[in-house]
Amino acid sequence: MARPIGLHRPAASATKLRLLEAGLTLLLERGYTDTGIQDILDATSVPKGSFYHHFKNKQDFALQVVDRYMDGVHAGLDAALTDASRPPLDRVRAFFEGVRQSYAAEGYLGCLLGQLGQELAGVSPVFRAKIEGCLRAVAARIGSCLAEAARVGDLPADTDPHVLGQVLVNCWEGAALRSRLRRSPAPLSAVLDFFFRVAAPA
């Protein structure tokens, strides 16, 4: 989804934030298996003891990186979906367009949730549950905004906005993978154009 632009949880120490930010970048670039604790220490010049002061192990670290990532996702959702000056559908599109811009800034590395989900869902129940919970939370927030669009008549009367929200997130995650493979925004733009043309025909 989007890079962190704010925290919803109590402020972490500067050292912990450095580790999390470095981990976020490395996990996006290399994945979980190819990112070692020593890689994180080398990227931050943080002593090993400091790492283990903040994190139990590599799994705990990666799960907290996901939490940090989700802080940014929810901040982006807050900024876009609560903008009452815009129609609900415009707010939903604005969120995904903001995510697309963040992908561009990173060189189209895609979504951390998708990256870790594809790598670890088949081997780690902990990560499978974590990633699914995160995606479900995003879909629920999108669905709530789509429900508002349905109430004001901007979606067909028989629309199930919460199912539609899940479909949009699912499509976006697939497009994020293709975007990473191609290092191009084209799959992301195509999904948005198709979704809003089909879901909310003029």
Side-chain angles (χ1 to χ4, degrees), residues 125-139:
V126 172
F127 278 98
R128 182 166 63 249
K130 181 73 168 181
I131 301 303
E132 171 59 21
C134 291
L135 291 172
R136 190 165 53 243
V138 174

Side-chain angles (χ1 to χ4, degrees), residues 46-58:
V46 170
K48 184 178 290 187
S50 294
F51 179 91
Y52 285 106
H53 172 73
H54 295 292
F55 310 103
K56 297 175 185 177
N57 49 39
K58 180 181 171 181

Side-chain angles (χ1 to χ4, degrees), residues 140-164:
R141 295 197 63 184
I142 296 298
S144 293
C145 197
L146 292 174
E148 186 178 346
R151 286 194 295 272
V152 299
D154 290 342
L155 290 174
D158 60 351
T159 297
D160 184 328
H162 295 286
V163 169
L164 201 59

Side-chain angles (χ1 to χ4, degrees), residues 6-198:
L7 286 171
H8 284 220
R9 63 192 80 256
S13 72
T15 298
K16 185 173 184 179
L17 287 178
R18 280 170 58 205
L19 290 164
L20 291 172
E21 285 296 311
L24 203 164
T25 297
L26 288 169
L27 289 172
L28 265 176
E29 291 176 350
R30 305 182 188 180
Y32 182 83
T33 302
D34 290 335
T35 299
I37 291 174
Q38 191 59 50
D39 297 318
I40 299 158
L41 301 180
D42 290 344
T44 57
S45 299
V46 170
K48 184 178 290 187
S50 294
F51 179 91
Y52 285 106
H53 172 73
H54 295 292
F55 310 103
K56 297 175 185 177
N57 49 39
K58 180 181 171 181
Q59 176 178 283
D60 178 48
F61 172 73
L63 291 170
Q64 291 196 48
V65 169
V66 172
D67 288 336
R68 170 72 176 156
Y69 186 78
M70 285 302 295
D71 284 328
V73 173
H74 284 294
L77 286 163
D78 289 344
L81 301 189
T82 63
D83 182 1
S85 69
R86 308 177 73 172
L89 289 179
D90 286 356
R91 295 179 226 160
V92 172
R93 182 154 194 155
F95 167 71
F96 286 100
E97 288 177 345
V99 175
R100 182 177 56 190
Q101 291 173 7
S102 75
Y103 288 175
E106 296 162 356
Y108 298 105
L109 295 176
C111 173
L112 181 67
L113 302 179
Q115 166 91 349
L116 294 181
Q118 289 186 58
E119 182 182 4
L120 299 173
V123 297
S124 172
V126 172
F127 278 98
R128 182 166 63 249
K130 181 73 168 181
I131 301 303
E132 171 59 21
C134 291
L135 291 172
R136 190 165 53 243
V138 174
R141 295 197 63 184
I142 296 298
S144 293
C145 197
L146 292 174
E148 186 178 346
R151 286 194 295 272
V152 299
D154 290 342
L155 290 174
D158 60 351
T159 297
D160 184 328
H162 295 286
V163 169
L164 201 59
Q166 294 176 40
V167 168
L168 177 53
V169 170
N170 292 345
C171 291
W172 182 263
E173 287 299 315
L177 172 60
R178 293 295 302 279
S179 176
R180 179 184 176 99
L181 292 171
R182 295 169 57 182
R183 292 294 196 267
S184 166
L188 304 167
S189 300
V191 160
L192 289 183
D193 291 343
F194 177 80
F195 179 85
F196 286 98
R197 185 170 65 249
V198 172

